Amino acid sequence: MAEKKLRIMVIDDESIVGKRLKPALEKTGDTVEIFEDGKSAMARFDEQPFDIVVTDVRMDEMDGIEVLEQVLARSDRTKVIIITGYATVEVAREALTKGAFDFIAKPFKPADLRAVIERAARQLRQ
Amino acid sequence: MISRLNPLHILIGRGAGTTCARIQALRFRNLLENARAVYDCLRDGEEKLGGEHIFDRHFVVSLVDAVLESLGKAVFDACILSPSSAELLCSLYDRQKHASRGLLLEDAAARSETESSVLRPELREYPEFRLLAGAVAWLKGSGGTNGGDALGLLRTAIEHAAHGLQSAREFRVPHRTIRLAAGGALNLLRIVSHGGGLRASPGPELALRDLRSKPLGLMLIGGDCRPAGDAESGKAELREWYALAGEEKLDLWTGRGAGDLRLHASLCGQAGADFIFLFAGASIDPGEFVPEGFRMERGELGTACWSLGGTGGDLENDLMRLGRWLFRTASV
């Protein structure tokens, strides 16, 4: 039986990240939507929830930790993956303590993110 | 050309000079570590230009900052080792700082075609990739960035530091004499070797253990130089080597031309303090004899090669291999 396709949201204020991740993640048939700020992403999430949210940490107005909190407040089954170029132990600890599924430091390869997404997908299917 | 181990002049440093020499060795090793960090940044940047990774502008800014920091530390160490070069090196470093800031402020869209041409066509639309291409060009000096290139400055700093390391103890050796330096802090011995033989001349036969220098001893063992037999100078084409040898430190250089070949080694066994550095003049290709694992960087004046070693044993083996080449088989 074919596996259910995932709905993935990517949030990063650096447009290059979304532009390059979208085609890479869509290769497996999943649906990917990209956003450059947390507010518009949350508005879209209210319209239709996502299985997986990939979000940068440092963003204007709403940062990645706030996105994490808001997503989990709306849907506790959604898996939130944090990506950041400012990878520190403190940021990782805060993200994981607040319920992030995993944490990836930039630069990374799309395959690294895909591996984390597959792990998250397995949990979603359980 | 060299065919065998030839006259070898050795300075054996002991006592008061040892502490100073060790501090200089540590300083020089710091410089090499910072040089390695700069080259690692370059490798990192070049790898990311391939387009396999997801990164943003922050990565490029961090990369440039990391290069400047390591480059600044290397220049500082070189200035300490070669004070007469300080003004030149600092002014060159300031130019690099200025060039790097200009690089980051520049409109990415205005970057030269040359810089962007290293990118795959589908990546050229991204300002971040063009910025990274500019940063790598600045590092390597291939992009025509104002102020020269960072690696060029690094090579200059290494060359000046190596020269400073040597000239700090430079001495003039009257040919074919034994000399004890004033105060007895340095004992200068002349050793003549021919056909694998090695002896002190004149005076009692010198055993390797008498050298009291681990790095030089290893090189001589590698070269199969044994304290036996009479020297018969004048039969072979000779190449003179000079060595300043402490128990755990060695500065070795050829007597033919100041910039020909210089080797600095520290083998004190302490973590983070040991290294081998070799500088070969432009007419010599050290690729023929430098052991595997050495980093080699070519500049206008010659090639700098160094190893910071994984373990003490690695460096010991490397010294023996270098001894084999330099004292026996190399025609450098």
Side-chain angles (χ1 to χ4, degrees), chain B residues 283-296:
Chain B
S283 61
I284 297 171
D285 178 13
E288 293 181 7
F289 58 88
V290 164
E292 199 176 327
F294 270 58
R295 188 182 281 277
M296 274 200 292

Side-chain angles (χ1 to χ4, degrees), chain B residues 144-206:
Chain B
T145 45
N146 188 25
D149 61 281
L151 289 190
L153 170 56
L154 186 62
R155 290 189 198 106
T156 304
I158 291 173
E159 286 163 5
H160 281 254
H163 183 71
L165 201 63
Q166 177 185 330
S167 60
R169 298 174 203 77
E170 200 147 20
F171 61 98
R172 293 285 173 266
V173 186
H175 196 52
R176 298 178 187 284
T177 60
I178 294 178
R179 179 176 136 209
L180 295 177
L186 296 173
N187 301 322
L188 175 64
L189 302 175
R190 180 169 173 276
I191 299 173
V192 176
S193 167
H194 182 73
L198 176 72
R199 72 181 184 105
S201 172
E205 189 175 271
L206 185 75

Side-chain angles (χ1 to χ4, degrees), chain B residues 2 10 20 25 31 33 46 82 122 137 141 150 227 251-252 255 322 327:
Chain B
I2 183 174
I10 299 178
C20 177
L31 189 157
E33 280 185 341
E46 287 182 322
S82 178
E122 69 270 25
D251 293 351
L252 178 80
L322 284 170
F327 294 156

Side-chain angles (χ1 to χ4, degrees), chain B residues 237-299:
Chain B
E237 186 184 357
L238 302 181
R239 180 166 201 157
E240 294 181 345
W241 292 90
Y242 292 88
L244 179 67
E247 288 182 15
E248 57 204 28
K249 184 179 180 312
L250 172 65
D251 293 351
L252 178 80
W253 63 99
T254 55
R256 183 185 299 170
D260 244 10
L261 205 53
R262 296 198 299 270
L263 181 143
H264 306 281
S266 172
L267 269 190
C268 68
Q270 293 175 1
D274 290 346
F275 68 88
I276 300 172
F277 173 83
L278 187 139
F279 183 83
S283 61
I284 297 171
D285 178 13
E288 293 181 7
F289 58 88
V290 164
E292 199 176 327
F294 270 58
R295 188 182 281 277
M296 274 200 292
E297 299 299 338
R298 298 180 199 282

